[in-house]
Amino acid sequence: MSTLPVISAKNLDLVFQTGDGSVHALSDITLDIEKGEFVSLIGPSGCGKTTLLRVIADLEKPTSGEISVNGTTPEKARLDGAYGYVFQQAALFPWRTIAKNVALPLEIMGLPAEERTSRIKRNLDLVNLTGFEKKFPWQLSGGMQQRASIARALAVEPDMLLMDEPFGALDEIVRDHLNAELLKLWATTQKTIVFVTHSIPEAVYLSTKIVVMSPRPGRIHEIIDCDLGADRPLDIRETPEFLKIAHQVRDGLREGHSYDE
Amino acid sequence: MSAVRPNWQALAALVTGLISLAGLPFTATMGTGASLLVTAIVLVAAILSMLKLRPVAQAIILAVASHFAAWLLIGGLADAFGTAGFGYFAALAASWLLAWRLVTVLSEMKFIAPVAKRTIALIVPAIFGIWILILWEALTRGAGVPFVLLPPPSSIGARIVTSTNILAADFVQTVVKAVLVGYIIGTFSGFLVAVMADRFRFLAAGLLPVGNMVAALPMIGIAPIMVIWFGFDWQSKAAVVVVMTFFPMLVNTLAGLAATGHMERDLMRTYGAGHWQVLAKLRLPVAMPFIFNALKINSTLALIGAIVAEFFGTPVVGMGFRISTEVGRMNLDMVWAEIALAAVVGSLFYGLLALAERIVTFWHPSYR
Amino acid sequence: MIAMRDFLTGRLVPVLTILVAIVVIWYGAAIGLNGPVIRDFEKRAGETSEGMAFILKTWSQPKPTMPAPHQVAAAFWKYTAGVKLTSNRSLIYHSWVTLSATLLGFALGTALGVVIAISIVHVPALDKSLLPWIITSQTVPILAVAPMIIVLLAAIGVTGLLPKALISTYLSFFPVAVGMVKGLRSPDTLHMDLMRTYSASRAQVLWKLRIPASVPFFFASIKVAIAASLIGAIVGELPTGAVAGIGSKLLAGSYYSQTIDIFAALIAGSICAILLVTLVDITGRLVERRMGAKT
Ligand SMILES: Nc1ncnc2c1ncn2[C@@H]1O[C@H](COP(=O)(O)OP(=O)(O)O)[C@@H](O)[C@H]1O
Ligand SMILES: [Mg+2]
């Protein structure tokens, strides 16, 4: 297998011009992400995690530096349907049923009706939402809404999932549950996942690689490998290996960020 | 626990009921017996409504008593215009207070079934409307208000029945031709221009403030110009309606198209959706509440515009024409008949739009 | 700097472009609408004019179908700066007549709207019974009621400013009532519960929570109400056969087909509207800023 990375960023810089000065959101970002990896971006608010994800997804253009996705530009990749993007809010359309919401990207891609139906069924099944096809988003709990939005992202059959604090708005119990489900999903679909989070345990539990970022300017402080094996029950979080990596991440965060600013 | 639960409406009804006893008989044609019957009904109902009865029982007692008393009072007047004494008005006030109590009881009832809720939401305002008519009828006839000042609803109703031909012709001229044609052209073109302008940021950025300003101007003033341009018939009225409805639609649609959230727009972008796809699948649905807002505003504006324009010249038919000429002839019952027609048309128009809005924007938080 | 540039390119330039476009279209429309009349006239007189001469003719008719912008501007200037303020031909005088009715009606309508809203919020029976009829009241085209009000009031000896003002009241109470009901109900449960833990009375909740919370709603609705008030006053001048006011100028212009005069009166009405709405807007901003609103 050739080892061309799925995402490859070299010396990325991004400066936002705003009404009161400029913000250096990304500075000298160099990062390779291989196929099938689960990469977490972690760091304090404002360190550019969202911005990096948006640059990958061609929602934002870097000021300088190079980035390639699947060996081409992010824009080409976007038009090819390479991305499944999941936001902190489910962002489901309230006038569409759950099934119709999952159908939305498929309609835009112009898929035939039978293909749409089968993909809706398969992906709702994958996130355990079978039976809720005809419900409207506002009739579902927050956790179910977020699962529906993951199904919507998967239905595109993207090369990679880009997830921006997808479980940040949910309570811890639901969050644990969805973390376990996401791991299963990752195992069955073999997708590349880039995952933004605030939570150290979440990052360690899910990832194969943790990117610790620090703010002002937003940059990569440290990249920590995290190989806890394929089978990760929830109580792996009490094992020494887990705690050791968690410690490492916490130290990295502390070094990269002085709290008395 | 005492078995009595006083409330101010019933207490006031009791007092006014007792006062009415000092003014017997109520009218020239109403005997003392009939007058006493009214007072008795009012007093008994007032006392019963202060007992600890089930709300439904209270509501039934109050509904029967207040409306029966009012019916006796109005019926007792017969042709004895303006002969009512203060006893009559006291009894009327007492039955009105009972009706108020009835509305209060109904409003405080707690229902779980949506059907019951909806029924109450219809009945309560209906009672309010009925009592406006009852008071209007009883007061104008009881006090003998001159016909040219304010005719009672019964004679307006009689006038409506005898003048259906005229009313129908006026309706066709003003509503079916001027309002409908103008409304459709005005709102459609406002919508289309907004969608086109929205394609170009620059155009939308310029049109929104200008449109907002124009929407606040007294556009009705173009009516004389339109009459000069398009003549006396309905075309000039429709033109006024077009101009008046165009801007609210333009402004609201532009605002609605700009109301989409960042996240949703980014989502569509990650799907590689084109401009028209984003418009059809995201921005138009989001804009729907705004568009319906404009449709509702326009429904009243259109009627006003068409009627006002008839003041600047019209063939001898049309609601505005009829109102201005009949006011001149002091035929106020005909004027009120036209007003009633306009109100019914306006309410139906508005009601249909509200219903359509409910169906189209069922997902909006205000309807869930 | 950037904010200033954003304002220029993002707002001012597009708005000015649209305004210039309107004037250009207006001149074009004057050619299109007046042209046929002139051609007709010339045919009978046996002469023809071409090119610029013809276009200039369309822009300088004494009684054009569509007056050109500069004709309207000249007339407007003549009737404002060129005549005495007290003159019957002064648009400032007529505007003042209409404005005084507008302001009186607006004040009454706003007061009425606020009172209705407070009652509706506090009396459940009114909430259920009155609100639907308030909405229905606005589906009665106001002009249908205008002559009635004027005749009724004249019969009991009230004439002059008040009848017109009452039509303004009728139009302006509605947005205020509806907006204020929303505003007075806008405090969330959290704040209401907080007031309850203080065992605040209903009056205290009203003054210390509901009314402050409704201020933005208040200004948003009176902006609509004052524009409606002006329309009410102008419309109120039509059926009365009023001798003064913008409405009477419109009526007079239409009798004699004086399109230039009608347009000048329209401009006067529009300037009144813009002044009133701007005034309300600025007041609203000042008050909201003093109450700690952002920007
Ligand atoms: N569109 C934008 N315009 C201006 N500044 C922005 C924009 N988006 C993000 N920023 C700034 O860039 C920095 C990084 O933001 P972000 O990527 O959202 O951080 P994170 O997701 O890590 O919390 C922050 O200081 C933020 O204020
Ligand atoms: Mg973020």
Side-chain angles (χ1 to χ4, degrees):
Chain A
M1 202 170 108
S2 78
T3 51
L4 194 73
V6 181
I7 300 165
S8 168
K10 232 178 248 126
N11 311 113
L12 279 186
D13 255 67
L14 197 153
V15 180
F16 286 114
Q17 298 295 346
T18 63
D20 37 43
S22 56
V23 179
H24 207 157
L26 293 179
S27 161
D28 198 25
I29 301 280
T30 299
L31 178 69
D32 280 353
I33 295 175
E34 308 293 333
K35 187 168 167 46
E37 270 195 297
F38 195 125
V39 177
S40 284
L41 308 179
I42 193 166
S45 289
C47 69
K49 307 180 294 290
T50 299
T51 308
L52 179 53
L53 212 59
R54 290 171 59 85
V55 168
I56 296 172
D58 187 40
L59 294 174
E60 212 82 73
K61 295 258 184 273
T63 319
S64 67
E66 278 168 33
I67 175 156
S68 71
V69 175
N70 285 341
T72 117
T73 64
E75 186 177 2
K76 271 240 184 60
R78 173 170 67 84
L79 295 176
D80 288 346
Y83 305 117
Y85 205 108
V86 180
F87 299 91
Q88 180 166 8
Q89 262 84 47
L92 298 167
F93 292 3
W95 54 87
R96 284 172 170 255
T97 60
I98 296 299
K100 283 273 181 196
N101 262 291
V102 178
L104 172 72
L106 310 179
E107 290 169 15
I108 288 167
M109 293 160 69
L111 294 187
E114 321 85 80
E115 174 68 14
R116 289 206 302 255
T117 334
S118 78
R119 283 204 196 183
I120 292 166
K121 192 179 168 327
R122 182 150 26 101
N123 288 292
L124 281 178
D125 207 33
L126 220 48
V127 298
N128 287 330
L129 275 181
T130 307
F132 292 93
E133 291 85 354
K134 295 229 164 69
K135 291 267 189 260
F136 285 95
W138 27 278
Q139 297 169 323
L140 265 56
S141 71
M144 289 162 103
Q145 289 184 24
Q146 198 53 283
R147 279 181 359 223
S149 91
I150 293 173
R152 179 180 59 185
L154 287 172
V156 181
E157 302 193 340
D159 299 319
M160 67 204 78
L161 275 181
L162 306 178
M163 310 179 88
D164 191 354
E165 298 186 41
F167 309 137
L170 305 176
D171 65 61
E172 193 150 351
I173 299 165
V174 176
R175 193 177 176 141
D176 277 352
H177 177 66
L178 289 183
N179 276 340
E181 283 196 24
L182 182 59
L183 268 188
K184 250 187 267 161
L185 207 70
W186 178 57
T188 45
T189 58
Q190 309 257 294
K191 297 260 182 256
T192 311
I193 298 183
V194 186
F195 188 94
V196 172
T197 178
H198 265 136
S199 153
I200 297 172
E202 190 173 60
V204 180
Y205 177 66
L206 292 171
S207 319
T208 56
K209 194 149 110 189
I210 300 174
V211 178
V212 180
M213 296 180 68
S214 60
R216 275 173 299 263
R219 61 195 183 274
I220 294 178
H221 176 77
E222 191 181 1
I223 298 180
I224 298 170
D225 280 319
C226 170
D227 209 352
L228 292 173
D231 183 37
R232 306 179 191 186
L234 269 172
D235 43 20
I236 199 173
R237 293 180 299 183
E238 268 106 67
T239 61
E241 296 96 312
F242 186 97
L243 292 174
K244 202 179 124 230
I245 300 173
H247 238 100
Q248 220 179 328
V249 175
R250 182 164 291 121
D251 285 343
L253 282 171
R254 208 171 281 151
E255 285 161 23
H257 184 58
S258 54
Y259 286 91
D260 46 34
E261 271 179 30
Chain B
M1 279 227 311
S2 101
V4 187
R5 237 182 33 193
N7 58 75
W8 73 267
Q9 292 102 335
L11 286 174
L14 216 55
V15 173
T16 41
L18 289 173
I19 290 174
S20 75
L21 287 176
L24 291 171
F26 291 164
T27 69
T29 46
M30 213 168 161
T32 308
S35 303
L36 272 176
L37 176 62
V38 174
T39 307
I41 291 170
V42 170
L43 292 179
V44 168
I47 291 168
L48 283 179
S49 81
M50 282 192 284
L51 299 181
K52 278 217 149 154
L53 296 173
R54 289 187 31 226
V56 177
Q58 279 196 22
I60 292 173
I61 292 170
L62 287 167
V64 171
S66 60
H67 294 105
F68 189 49
W71 183 71
L72 285 177
L73 284 171
I74 290 173
L77 213 50
D79 295 324
F81 250 66
T83 63
F86 79 87
Y88 176 86
F89 294 110
L92 184 64
S95 36
W96 171 65
L97 283 162
L98 291 181
W100 189 332
R101 181 71 208 148
L102 167 64
V103 168
T104 310
V105 169
L106 288 175
S107 311
E108 281 166 1
M109 280 189 190
K110 298 265 181 286
F111 288 104
I112 298 163
V115 181
K117 266 190 202 159
R118 221 168 296 152
T119 318
I120 289 291
L122 282 178
I123 287 181
V124 169
I127 293 174
F128 188 90
I130 288 170
W131 271 88
I132 288 189
L133 292 181
I134 289 176
L135 291 177
W136 180 353
E137 179 84 22
L139 288 175
T140 47
R141 286 177 51 187
V145 174
F147 194 80
V148 290
L149 215 51
L150 187 62
S154 55
S155 46
I156 297 169
R159 187 61 185 229
I160 292 176
V161 173
T162 53
S163 319
T164 40
N165 285 341
I166 298 177
L167 288 170
D170 292 346
F171 172 80
V172 169
Q173 173 75 13
T174 305
V175 176
V176 177
K177 290 179 180 164
V179 169
L180 225 51
V181 172
Y183 182 86
I184 290 171
I185 297 178
T187 42
F188 257 99
S189 49
F191 175 79
L192 284 182
V193 170
V195 169
M196 292 303 155
D198 172 74
R199 187 84 180 81
F200 309 97
R201 251 272 299 279
F202 185 82
L203 212 52
L207 266 180
L208 191 59
V210 173
N212 259 322
M213 193 186 72
V214 175
L217 300 184
M219 289 309 276
I220 196 115
I222 53 134
I225 303 280
M226 293 302 160
V227 172
I228 293 173
W229 286 2
F230 295 102
F232 277 5
D233 208 353
W234 63 269
Q235 290 87 345
S236 60
K237 284 77 199 171
V240 174
V241 176
V242 169
V243 177
M244 285 183 75
T245 53
F246 175 83
F247 287 97
M249 192 55 162
L250 174 74
V251 172
N252 274 284
T253 308
L254 279 175
L257 289 175
T260 316
H262 284 285
M263 227 188 273
E264 285 79 5
R265 266 189 304 213
D266 284 345
L267 192 69
M268 296 302 275
R269 202 173 138 80
T270 64
Y271 301 149
H275 175 82
W276 298 110
Q277 281 176 319
V278 178
L279 191 71
K281 297 201 187 290
L282 173 62
R283 299 174 68 216
L284 276 182
V286 169
M288 271 306 157
F290 293 79
I291 290 171
F292 270 102
N293 190 31
L295 286 175
K296 288 197 289 192
I297 294 173
N298 281 349
S299 73
T300 29
L301 282 181
L303 222 50
I304 292 180
I307 293 183
V308 170
E310 289 183 6
F311 273 74
F312 292 96
T314 157
V316 290
V317 60
M319 294 163 75
F321 161 80
R322 192 79 53 209
I323 289 170
S324 51
T325 48
E326 298 296 333
V327 165
R329 291 184 195 155
M330 290 292 171
N331 282 338
L332 286 222
D333 53 349
M334 191 61 211
V335 176
W336 278 101
E338 293 281 354
I339 290 175
L341 175 62
V344 168
V345 169
S347 305
L348 279 180
F349 201 172
Y350 192 94
L352 282 178
L353 286 171
L355 194 69
E357 177 179 29
R358 199 170 255 272
I359 294 169
V360 173
T361 64
F362 68 96
W363 48 270
H364 197 263
S366 56
Y367 292 119
R368 283 177 210 160
Chain C
M1 266 314 284
I2 289 174
M4 189 64 202
R5 209 181 54 208
D6 280 0
F7 174 76
L8 280 180
T9 57
R11 289 277 300 237
L12 201 58
V13 174
V15 167
L16 286 178
T17 312
I18 295 287
L19 291 178
V20 168
I22 289 175
V23 172
V24 170
I25 293 172
W26 189 344
Y27 270 110
I31 301 175
L33 284 165
N34 301 333
V37 184
I38 294 175
R39 283 274 181 255
D40 216 41
F41 182 81
E42 284 178 343
K43 201 185 272 168
R44 264 178 274 147
E47 47 183 278
T48 45
S49 53
E50 287 307 327
M52 209 53 209
F54 173 72
I55 288 177
L56 285 178
K57 239 182 190 173
T58 63
W59 290 345
S60 57
Q61 294 295 298
K63 271 192 178 187
T65 311
M66 178 70 158
H70 67 266
Q71 289 181 294
V72 177
F76 182 75
W77 182 252
K78 191 173 91 191
Y79 293 135
T80 49
V83 291
K84 273 209 304 244
L85 272 188
T86 49
S87 155
N88 190 28
R89 297 173 60 194
S90 166
L91 275 176
I92 297 182
Y93 162 72
H94 288 288
S95 299
W96 171 245
V97 171
T98 303
L99 271 183
S100 49
T102 305
L103 290 175
L104 179 60
F106 169 71
L108 292 175
T110 305
L112 181 65
V114 170
V115 168
I116 288 179
I118 291 179
S119 327
I120 284 179
V121 169
H122 286 92
V123 184
L126 284 183
D127 175 23
K128 292 233 169 65
S129 57
L130 195 54
L131 205 52
W133 287 103
I134 288 183
I135 293 169
T136 311
S137 82
Q138 298 302 302
T139 64
V140 176
I142 175 59
L143 204 83
V145 184
M148 295 301 310
I149 295 173
I150 280 138
V151 169
L152 284 184
L153 290 178
I156 52 174
V158 182
T159 50
L161 202 60
L162 197 60
K164 284 194 282 176
L166 285 180
I167 295 163
S168 292
T169 306
Y170 184 93
L171 278 183
S172 58
F173 94 93
F174 174 72
V176 177
V178 172
M180 282 302 279
V181 167
K182 260 195 206 139
L184 292 171
R185 287 198 175 136
S186 66
D188 51 31
T189 4
L190 215 66
H191 288 125
M192 292 299 284
D193 286 349
L194 193 64
M195 293 304 271
R196 188 163 305 148
T197 64
Y198 303 152
S199 30
S201 68
R202 273 153 71 102
Q204 284 170 323
V205 174
L206 180 67
W207 280 111
K208 296 191 192 302
L209 179 57
R210 287 190 191 271
I211 288 190
S214 69
V215 166
F217 292 82
F218 177 74
F219 282 103
S221 24
I222 63 170
K223 222 159 103 179
V224 179
I226 198 140
S229 246
L230 180 64
I231 294 174
I234 293 177
V235 161
E237 286 161 353
L238 302 180
T240 50
V243 286
I246 293 172
S248 78
K249 292 302 282 181
L250 291 176
L251 217 49
S254 99
Y255 283 149
Y256 305 111
S257 296
Q258 290 285 6
T259 42
I260 299 182
D261 287 5
I262 298 177
F263 267 95
L266 271 178
I267 299 288
S270 304
I271 290 176
C272 289
I274 293 170
L275 279 181
L276 291 172
V277 172
T278 312
L279 206 65
V280 168
D281 202 35
I282 291 174
T283 319
R285 273 169 212 246
L286 288 181
V287 171
E288 279 171 45
R289 187 171 308 167
R290 281 208 50 180
M291 292 182 61
K294 279 175 242 131
T295 66

